């Protein structure tokens, strides 16, 4: 097994890593290995973009405004009716 040494690690970063490792009941080395594995398991931005460009499957159209309205209605059903009523609109100078 290889070894990795990190020099000039800022104190606040070291403390944050130590705290996260403690929270998960693992050593800091194990925690950092997990972070590295998780990061390396994902494609880089360049790899992801190349994959998306190579994918020729037709994409479906998503009506973003309608989707946001639906989510807003789920979150706060009264918000939609309040924002549509002219007397409830706030006016800023």
């Amino acid at each position: 097994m290889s070894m990795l040494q990190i020099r000039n690690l800022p104190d606040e970063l070291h403390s944050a890593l130590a705290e996260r490792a403690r929270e998960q009941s693992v050593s800091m080395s194990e925690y950092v290995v997990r972070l590295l594995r998780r990061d390396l398991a994902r494609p880089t931005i360049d790899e992801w973009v190349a994959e998306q460009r190579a994918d020729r499957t037709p994409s479906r159209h998503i009506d973003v405004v309608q989707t946001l309205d639906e989510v807003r209605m789920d979150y706060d059903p009264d918000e939609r009716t309040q924002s549509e009523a002219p007397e409830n609109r706030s006016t800023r100078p």
Side-chain angles (χ1 to χ4, degrees):
M1 188 165 294
S2 297
M3 199 168 134
L4 172 68
Q5 183 177 16
I6 301 173
R7 293 192 172 109
N8 302 319
L9 184 66
D11 291 338
E12 64 275 5
L13 183 55
H14 184 274
S15 297
L17 287 169
E19 178 62 30
R20 293 262 177 108
R22 266 193 304 278
E23 288 172 0
Q24 294 188 20
S25 302
V26 296
S27 69
M28 194 181 317
S29 292
E30 178 60 28
Y31 181 73
V32 172
V33 167
R34 288 178 184 180
L35 286 177
L36 292 171
R37 281 190 177 143
R38 188 178 321 138
D39 183 73
L40 294 173
R42 296 182 293 200
T44 64
I45 295 294
D46 290 339
E47 291 168 340
W48 182 82
V49 168
E51 182 181 311
Q52 297 307 306
R53 287 184 176 154
D55 184 8
R56 297 292 180 204
T57 352
S59 59
R60 63 185 178 120
H61 174 73
I62 298 174
D63 185 342
V64 176
V65 174
Q66 179 183 348
T67 303
L68 285 172
D69 285 344
E70 291 170 3
V71 170
R72 286 185 183 118
M73 289 298 288
D74 288 343
Y75 179 73
D76 186 1
D78 295 328
E79 181 180 315
R80 179 80 173 168
T81 54
Q82 289 174 359
S83 66
E84 289 177 349
E87 64 274 3
N88 292 335
R89 290 188 187 145
S90 64
T91 56
R92 293 186 180 171

